[in-house]
Amino acid sequence: MKILLIEDEPSLLASMQRFLENEGNIVSSASTFQQALEKVNDYDYDCVVVDITLPDGNGLAIIQDLKKRNKSVGIIIVSAKNSLDDRLTGLDLGADDYLTKPFHLAELNARIKSVLRRRLFDGKTKITFDVISISPENQQVNIHDEIVELTAKEYELLLFFISNKNRILSKSIIAEHLWGDSMDLADSHDFIYTHIKNLRKKLIEKGCPDYVKTRYGAGYIFTEKP
């Protein structure tokens, strides 16, 4: 999943980013209010983890900006303030969860997974699409009860396709989701074609219909329809 961490404590930010990246996520970060505002305006994320107290602004204003722009994103507040008022204000603004410092990184990871399940897949612990079954907790993909071995990028691509089924996705949108901010460094989208081709091949080899349809000049669509 694509996550933005907004946190001004360098050591905490680094440890959160390292932990979540090791879990297979694409993680971007911002340590100031202005950096965070630019990133949420320039990119889309599956989940934003927001510290309330920032050196140049209030994290609650980031939430207000996301909601004003109708961004469909999971939001988790983290703060050293164990205040009921802060918690209620954040939730009233549209945050999905609230975590008080200090916290265990495993708990943050579990909260992010829970928020994403609720937002993208109606809280289901198992995601299904026709013959495909996915268990997000262990990132296991099955077709006809047989495990499909996917790379981290192929898994994220499949999950992104299923969460956006029947929608045309451009190569730029797919690249941004899989590579985050670093997609700007790429001068070609040929790597997207390679990942899609490999994912397609692995699914079909396990007896899965070819759900990935090319829409020339527009991108790709993941659908059961012809």
Side-chain angles (χ1 to χ4, degrees):
M1 290 295 172
K2 191 177 173 189
I3 300 168
L4 174 63
L5 301 177
I6 304 171
E7 170 60 56
D8 67 326
E9 294 180 32
S11 59
L12 177 57
L13 179 60
S15 61
M16 286 194 297
Q17 183 161 1
R18 185 166 53 249
F19 185 93
L20 293 172
E21 285 177 341
N22 288 339
E23 290 291 309
N25 300 291
I26 305 299
V27 184
S28 299
S29 64
S31 57
T32 68
F33 177 86
Q34 191 58 43
Q35 286 178 354
L37 203 58
E38 290 172 2
K39 292 205 172 187
V40 297
N41 288 333
D42 291 344
Y43 301 99
D44 290 324
Y45 300 92
D46 296 306
C47 186
V48 175
V49 179
V50 187
D51 186 359
I52 290 178
T53 306
L54 296 170
D56 54 340
N58 191 314
L60 294 176
I62 300 293
I63 300 174
Q64 288 177 310
D65 186 75
L66 286 167
K67 294 302 176 181
K68 184 173 66 176
R69 296 171 183 274
N70 292 317
K71 295 253 187 179
S72 179
V73 57
I75 300 171
I76 298 176
I77 294 173
V78 294
S79 177
K81 298 179 180 179
N82 189 13
S83 162
L84 179 60
D85 288 342
D86 288 332
R87 187 191 302 261
L88 293 178
T89 299
L91 295 175
D92 283 344
L93 288 173
D96 298 279
D97 207 345
Y98 188 108
L99 202 54
T100 303
K101 299 177 185 178
F103 52 83
H104 293 290
L105 295 175
E107 181 180 5
L108 172 63
N109 187 45
R111 299 283 188 100
I112 290 172
K113 287 182 178 179
S114 177
V115 166
L116 293 176
R117 281 199 304 270
R118 291 200 303 269
R119 285 200 164 263
L120 298 179
F121 304 107
D122 299 322
K124 297 174 183 175
T125 56
K126 183 162 285 190
I127 301 160
T128 59
F129 180 89
D130 196 22
V131 299
I132 300 174
S133 176
I134 301 175
S135 299
E137 286 300 320
N138 56 10
Q139 297 188 352
Q140 182 173 302
V141 178
N142 289 72
I143 295 177
H144 299 301
D145 296 324
E146 187 176 352
I147 295 176
V148 185
E149 298 293 342
L150 300 178
T151 66
K153 292 297 184 190
E154 290 164 358
Y155 173 82
E156 283 299 322
L157 180 59
L158 177 60
L159 210 58
F160 188 53
F161 272 140
I162 291 178
S163 64
N164 291 278
K165 60 188 177 183
N166 301 318
R167 289 180 55 196
I168 295 178
L169 302 172
S170 69
K171 288 183 180 179
S172 295
I173 288 174
I174 296 172
E176 181 185 321
H177 182 81
L178 294 182
W179 275 269
D181 300 355
S182 60
M183 66 159 285
D184 295 334
L185 302 176
D187 58 2
S188 169
H189 286 159
D190 289 345
F191 55 85
I192 292 294
Y193 171 76
T194 299
H195 283 295
I196 291 175
K197 182 182 71 173
N198 292 340
L199 173 62
R200 245 174 165 165
K201 180 181 178 183
K202 289 181 180 181
L203 295 179
I204 292 172
E205 283 177 348
K206 294 295 184 180
C208 182
D210 187 5
Y211 299 122
V212 183
K213 316 295 182 185
T214 303
R215 295 292 185 262
Y216 292 100
Y220 299 90
I221 184 169
F222 197 83
T223 181
E224 298 173 78
K225 302 172 185 177

